[in-house]
Amino acid sequence: MRISKEEVAKIAHLARLEIGEADLGRFAGQLTDILDYMDILNEVDTSQTEPLYSPVEHETPYREDEARSECSKEEVMRNAPRSDGEYFLVPKVV
Amino acid sequence: MPDYEAVIGLEVHAQLKTRSKLFCACSTVFGEEPNRNTCPVCAGMPGALPVVNKKAVEYGVKLSQALDCQVNDRSVFARKNYFYPDLPKGYQISQYEHPLAEEGQLEMPVNGSMRQVRIVRIHMEDDAGKSIHGAENTSYVDLNRTGVPLLEIVSGPDIFSPDEAVAYLKSLRNILIYLDICRGNMQEGNFRCDANVSVRPRGRPEYGTRTEVKNMNSFRFVHKALTYEINRQIELLEDGEQVVQETRLFDESSGQTKSMRGKEEAHDYRYFPDPDLVPLSISVRDREEWSRELPELPLSKWRRFLRDYALPEEAADILTGEKDMADYFERVVACFGEPQTVGNWMISEMLRELNEGNISASESPLAPEQLAELLRLIQQEKISSKIAKQIFPEIFARGLDPETYVEEKGYLQITDESRLQEVVREVIAENPDEAASYKQGKKKLMSFFMGQVMKKTQGQANPKLVDQLLRSELGG
């Protein structure tokens, strides 16, 4: 499967990654190689096989509906690049 | 001008009334200080692992059962990828290919006939946080709401007018409230709605190009926004122009829908199964247990009210329109009987007071037993219904015992025959001309005499007795 430079640029944009013009070709090649390698799997007939959504197939583990505080607001806010102690501050988005 | 028909599909987001969030133990309490209800899971810290809240699954299954949906044996949580500051993980955990439930229907009465709207799917997802946009170049992000459980309910394109859209939303909201799984308050945002709208010449099988209308946070605004959008699309087609597929926001101040131009970068959410969560398989045992716990739903209650209480449809609509109202009604009827009298009193007198105080029937200061007692006083002719209506606002507001109140205030009806006889004679003596006319056949004057007697007795005379006395004094 051929991945074009345009597709690399689009995926990069969706992932908010900045990729210089020079690198587009390199990544297009690498992504193509990876997908070609995965294509080997297509040789196996999976028409009768259920897709595997998780490697651990067992009963759904549930959490009971009990509210508790597992860490303080201060601990969570400590990870904010910018904060006023109350809110996370980000460049204006509207 | 050809006749056009609108086609509407609605997507509702219902916030569930769980104590904790969908994938972590943080509280869902509203109005907490910003970012208090957060933890590594909902704040999107690397390595934090989500575990699904069983209550949220229960609520989702119960709604699915109430809407006759097929609940899937296995549903899969998927990541919906997009970037926004109030979505710290960089993706919303939703369901895509394998939703919780599919293919149901909602049945509702509209203008006297029954309408079915297909439910395409119901899926679970977590809510985003809130951004407050400041004056300077800063937005303020509060993650308290991030991760609160939502159900998304997607209708088929089976709704053909703004009236029907509002009827559908009210029915769905009512079901959620009967199930006690959602607060259903549009202003507070725990019941939200987006609409897909298109128009086509009536009778055409294919759909027109649709727009998605957002930001309608009351039933009134839904009606207004849809009416505007339908007319806008018809006018475009009439002018030979095309409807552009886009998202439009309803603007409350102008009553118009406006294009979200610029933000409409083609959606590419790159959904894939969330590797942090195993598929959700709901055991038969849980499903059966939850199904047994389903309460009587609004439509069944509505039908039962028509059948068992012989109420007119309009009365049944109002009484079952709020679960609290229906419960109150049945408690009064249990004490007093006479469902139609009870219904009339609740709809005319009590509803007015509830609306004035902006409270629900369960918050009524007057207990159902007290309303029953008031009605009994009328039935026993201890007070007239006119007096009852007159004193109702006060005994309602203060939750007063009706019998004590009317005794203390001296509102008890006068049933003392000799006393009334005196009043009747007085009235006749004071109005000799009318009395003469009456005797000559002007029987309509009976109500004049009745009015005079009531005036002299402050409305407390027993009308039946007065009627008898007047007839015998005036001769027939």
Side-chain angles (χ1 to χ4, degrees), chain A residues 10 13-14 16 53-54 56 60-63 65 67-68 73 76 79 82 86-90 92-94, chain B residues 19-21 24-25 33-35 45 51-54 74 83 98 133-134 137 139-141 268 279 281:
Chain A
K10 186 189 166 202
H13 174 68
L14 287 169
R16 301 293 184 268
Y53 287 100
S54 165
V56 280
T60 305
Y62 288 117
R63 188 173 53 72
D65 184 29
R68 53 176 187 275
K73 171 176 174 169
V76 170
N79 294 289
R82 268 179 78 212
E86 291 292 306
Y87 293 94
F88 293 94
L89 305 188
V90 297
K92 190 161 180 172
V93 276
V94 171
Chain B
R19 290 195 195 98
S20 63
K21 293 186 179 180
C24 63
E33 63 170 293
N35 293 302
M45 297 297 161
V51 184
V52 70
N53 181 340
K54 188 168 189 184
R74 195 187 58 188
F83 288 107
H98 304 281
H133 306 299
N137 286 324
S139 289
Y140 298 79
V141 180
D268 189 345
S281 13

Side-chain angles (χ1 to χ4, degrees), chain B residues 238-272:
Chain B
E238 281 296 295
D239 293 349
E241 291 178 54
Q242 303 277 317
V243 174
V244 179
Q245 186 168 343
E246 60 180 354
T247 302
R248 300 179 67 87
L249 290 184
F250 176 66
D251 175 47
E252 291 170 19
S253 54
S254 66
Q256 300 178 344
T257 64
K258 289 178 178 165
S259 175
M260 275 180 78
R261 258 185 299 270
K263 295 193 79 175
E264 199 56 10
E265 213 172 278
H267 289 307
D268 189 345
Y269 293 126
R270 293 150 294 143
Y271 283 96
F272 64 90

Side-chain angles (χ1 to χ4, degrees), chain A residues 22-64:
Chain A
D23 286 325
L24 287 176
R26 185 160 65 93
F27 286 122
Q30 289 182 359
L31 288 172
T32 301
D33 287 347
I34 292 166
L35 290 173
D36 282 345
Y37 180 64
M38 299 307 277
D39 262 348
I40 298 171
L41 290 173
N42 281 342
E43 290 166 18
V44 183
D45 177 14
T46 56
S47 59
Q48 304 299 315
T49 313
E50 277 281 293
L52 179 72
Y53 287 100
S54 165
V56 280
E57 285 281 352
H58 51 64
E59 256 192 60
T60 305
Y62 288 117
R63 188 173 53 72
E64 291 304 319

Side-chain angles (χ1 to χ4, degrees), chain B residues 1 32 73 88 104 112 122 151 165 211 234 263 266 270 289 333 352 370 399 402 436 459:
Chain B
M1 177 167 145
E32 186 65 91
D73 292 337
I122 297 178
L151 290 179
T211 59
I234 291 174
K263 295 193 79 175
R270 293 150 294 143
E289 187 182 327
V333 172
R352 182 190 61 227
Q370 292 175 311

Side-chain angles (χ1 to χ4, degrees), chain B residues 158-432:
Chain B
D158 301 342
I159 296 163
F160 303 111
S161 70
D163 281 347
E164 284 187 8
V166 170
Y168 168 85
L169 291 172
K170 284 188 172 167
S171 298
L172 179 57
R173 173 180 175 273
N174 214 5
I175 291 170
L176 289 161
I177 290 173
Y178 270 56
L179 291 170
D180 199 22
I181 64 178
C182 172
R183 277 177 245 287
N185 187 323
M186 286 187 96
Q187 277 82 24
E188 283 174 15
N190 44 48
F191 183 86
R192 298 171 232 159
C193 151
D194 301 332
N196 287 303
V197 185
S198 65
V199 299
R200 63 183 172 192
R202 195 174 294 280
R204 271 288 175 78
E206 68 270 23
Y207 298 121
T209 307
R210 65 162 196 268
T211 59
E212 188 179 7
V213 183
K214 290 177 180 277
N215 196 38
M216 305 173 285
N217 55 16
S218 72
F219 291 128
R220 200 165 57 87
F221 289 151
V222 169
H223 198 278
K224 239 176 153 177
L226 293 178
T227 305
Y228 177 86
E229 182 59 17
I230 290 165
N231 287 333
R232 188 189 71 88
Q233 292 189 11
I234 291 174
E235 274 171 31
L236 278 177
L237 298 182
E238 281 296 295
D239 293 349
E241 291 178 54
Q242 303 277 317
V243 174
V244 179
Q245 186 168 343
E246 60 180 354
T247 302
R248 300 179 67 87
L249 290 184
F250 176 66
D251 175 47
E252 291 170 19
S253 54
S254 66
Q256 300 178 344
T257 64
K258 289 178 178 165
S259 175
M260 275 180 78
R261 258 185 299 270
K263 295 193 79 175
E264 199 56 10
E265 213 172 278
H267 289 307
D268 189 345
Y269 293 126
R270 293 150 294 143
Y271 283 96
F272 64 90
D274 192 321
D276 287 342
L277 287 154
V278 296
L280 179 64
S281 13
I282 301 155
S283 72
V284 175
R285 214 192 57 202
D286 281 341
R287 255 186 271 186
E288 285 175 353
E289 187 182 327
W290 295 334
S291 163
R292 275 195 302 274
E293 287 170 8
L294 288 184
E296 181 183 37
L297 293 168
L299 188 59
S300 314
K301 202 182 277 288
W302 184 78
R303 288 189 166 126
R304 183 166 63 80
F305 274 31
L306 292 185
R307 192 185 61 229
D308 293 359
Y309 299 130
L311 292 173
E313 279 193 14
E314 251 182 37
D317 280 350
I318 298 171
L319 293 171
T320 60
E322 299 278 346
K323 183 169 183 289
D324 283 355
M325 194 78 174
D327 291 346
Y328 194 101
F329 169 79
E330 295 207 276
R331 283 177 62 189
V332 181
V333 172
C335 297
F336 179 68
E338 297 203 24
Q340 290 170 37
T341 309
V342 175
N344 284 340
W345 263 82
M346 285 187 64
I347 290 165
S348 55
E349 305 306 313
M350 187 168 146
L351 196 55
R352 182 190 61 227
E353 301 302 319
L354 291 172
N355 288 342
E356 209 150 278
N358 198 18
I359 54 175
S360 75
S362 64
E363 297 165 308
S364 160
L366 189 74
E369 296 72 23
Q370 292 175 311
L371 177 57
E373 193 186 320
L374 182 69
L375 299 180
R376 201 173 297 121
L377 292 174
I378 303 171
Q379 191 185 45
Q380 294 168 346
E381 299 186 353
K382 288 191 174 164
I383 53 171
S384 67
S385 65
K386 198 174 157 211
I387 291 280
K389 285 182 184 173
Q390 192 186 310
I391 64 172
F392 188 78
E394 190 173 355
I395 63 165
F396 174 87
R398 296 168 55 198
L400 300 173
D401 178 66
E403 185 149 29
T404 321
Y405 181 82
V406 297
E407 272 168 15
E408 276 173 9
K409 294 269 171 175
Y411 281 128
L412 285 177
Q413 205 156 250
I414 304 165
T415 47
D416 177 348
E417 197 170 332
S418 58
R419 213 180 123 198
L420 286 178
Q421 182 97 3
E422 230 168 83
V423 179
V424 164
R425 284 184 180 153
E426 245 175 76
V427 165
I428 292 171
E430 283 165 15
N431 299 280

Side-chain angles (χ1 to χ4, degrees), chain A residues 63, chain B residues 16 18 20-24 28 51-54 56-57 77 93 124-127 147-150:
Chain A
R63 188 173 53 72
Chain B
L16 295 176
T18 53
S20 63
K21 293 186 179 180
L22 183 53
F23 296 114
C24 63
T28 56
V51 184
V52 70
N53 181 340
K54 188 168 189 184
V57 175
F77 288 108
I93 304 179
M124 308 182 69
E125 59 189 27
D126 60 358
D127 207 347
V148 168
L150 299 176

